[in-house]
Amino acid sequence: MKKTKKSNSAKEAKLYGLNAAIAFAKKRPHEIIKAFYTKQNSKHFADLQKFLSKAKKVYRVVEDIDLEKLSQSKHHEGVCFVVTQPKPKTLLDWIRDEKKNKISVIIALENVANPHNIGAILRIAAHFGVSAVASKDARSLSSGAAMRTAEGGAEVITNVAIDDIKASMSLLKKNGYKIITTSSHQGTSLYQYNFPNKAVLLFGEEGDGLSKDAFMVQDDRIMIPGTNNVESLNVSTAIAVILSEYWKQIKK
């Protein structure tokens, strides 16, 4: 019995944050196993309550202190869902699905682990029409903290699992994508760069940056011009600046 419980819990995840929960409830109510929210927030989940009641699933109005225990976070914003652990898509499957689109951009992350950075990236990606975010640790893209920070953006971005940066980037190149990396002090200025219709924006965690393997597969390197008063921008901020220019050139 203990093994069964561990197996079941491994397939579950906690989702919290009001906007994230509202978006999840609209798009994936069937993946909600249990729902808990405050009386104040119950007005947002009237339709969900009917759905869960019909499906004979648990939903309850609880207090803030209960939600803090359930979510293991003080930032639950009055709601916590227990949901089916989202399954990331393989890169090959994503490429097959994306082939019909003449314009396509995917963000690839190497060793970006901070859930608040990941959540901010998902939110930015959703705003600028990015199709997918890929990571070796694809489950980090659907953590409770990341999805809360994404403010609902996670519901329109496909999570893609990649095993090896070099192999994954090579596969994308074969399918018409250009691999674009960034640097604080080297490369073509963002505002002089002409974006391709199909692009991979490859980013590493600030501080360590990208590995040598990642730089070996790049097609182009760009930089964001600035004062140089700071070493670099936060990864999510850099992504926002770059995608804004990408949108201006390609998606407008």
Side-chain angles (χ1 to χ4, degrees), residues 69-208:
K69 291 176 183 177
L70 285 162
S71 64
Q72 297 182 323
S73 172
K74 292 182 179 180
H75 306 292
H76 52 74
E77 297 176 8
V79 59
C80 179
F81 293 165
V82 179
V83 302
T84 303
Q85 178 70 53
K87 188 176 180 180
K89 186 169 282 191
T90 67
L91 182 59
L92 188 57
D93 284 344
W94 177 80
I95 289 171
R96 285 170 179 162
D97 291 345
E98 195 72 4
K99 270 190 175 179
K100 62 184 181 295
N101 296 322
K102 292 182 179 179
I103 296 174
S104 175
V105 60
I106 180 172
I107 294 172
L109 303 176
E110 184 185 45
N111 300 323
V112 178
N114 184 298
H116 301 292
N117 270 343
I118 291 170
I121 290 166
L122 290 170
R123 186 176 183 180
I124 292 160
H127 180 75
F128 287 111
V130 172
S131 173
V133 175
S135 173
K136 193 171 183 179
D137 182 16
R139 289 199 171 186
S140 67
L141 303 175
S142 57
S143 71
M147 292 183 77
R148 179 189 70 82
T149 308
E151 295 282 353
E155 296 312 309
V156 295
I157 301 295
T158 301
N159 290 358
V160 175
I162 52 177
D163 295 323
D164 179 271
I165 285 289
K166 285 180 72 174
S168 298
M169 297 304 107
S170 295
L171 180 60
L172 284 160
K173 281 186 177 187
K174 287 177 183 177
N175 284 275
Y177 287 81
K178 266 198 171 184
I179 314 301
I180 303 166
T181 64
T182 61
S183 171
S184 302
H185 309 293
Q186 299 177 43
T188 304
S189 166
L190 169 65
Y191 305 112
Q192 294 175 345
Y193 182 72
N194 293 317
F195 280 95
N197 284 343
K198 292 198 170 186
V200 181
L201 301 180
L202 178 56
F203 292 89
E205 184 64 273
E206 57 182 309
D208 294 335

Side-chain angles (χ1 to χ4, degrees), residues 11-110:
K11 296 176 183 177
E12 297 176 0
K14 299 285 181 67
L15 169 74
Y16 52 90
L18 186 57
N19 287 336
I22 290 172
F24 195 100
K26 285 181 179 178
K27 190 165 184 180
R28 295 188 278 170
H30 54 285
E31 293 183 24
I32 298 173
I33 300 168
K34 299 176 185 177
F36 305 94
Y37 38 81
T38 60
K39 185 177 181 180
Q40 183 181 359
N41 280 340
S42 59
K43 61 188 176 184
H44 298 292
F45 303 112
D47 291 339
L48 176 65
Q49 186 171 305
K50 292 175 185 176
F51 176 87
L52 294 177
S53 179
K54 190 174 181 179
K56 297 183 179 179
K57 292 185 177 181
V58 173
Y59 60 90
R60 287 186 190 139
V61 173
V62 296
E63 300 295 328
D64 277 334
I65 192 168
D66 300 312
L67 288 168
E68 192 171 323
K69 291 176 183 177
L70 285 162
S71 64
Q72 297 182 323
S73 172
K74 292 182 179 180
H75 306 292
H76 52 74
E77 297 176 8
V79 59
C80 179
F81 293 165
V82 179
V83 302
T84 303
Q85 178 70 53
K87 188 176 180 180
K89 186 169 282 191
T90 67
L91 182 59
L92 188 57
D93 284 344
W94 177 80
I95 289 171
R96 285 170 179 162
D97 291 345
E98 195 72 4
K99 270 190 175 179
K100 62 184 181 295
N101 296 322
K102 292 182 179 179
I103 296 174
S104 175
V105 60
I106 180 172
I107 294 172
L109 303 176
E110 184 185 45

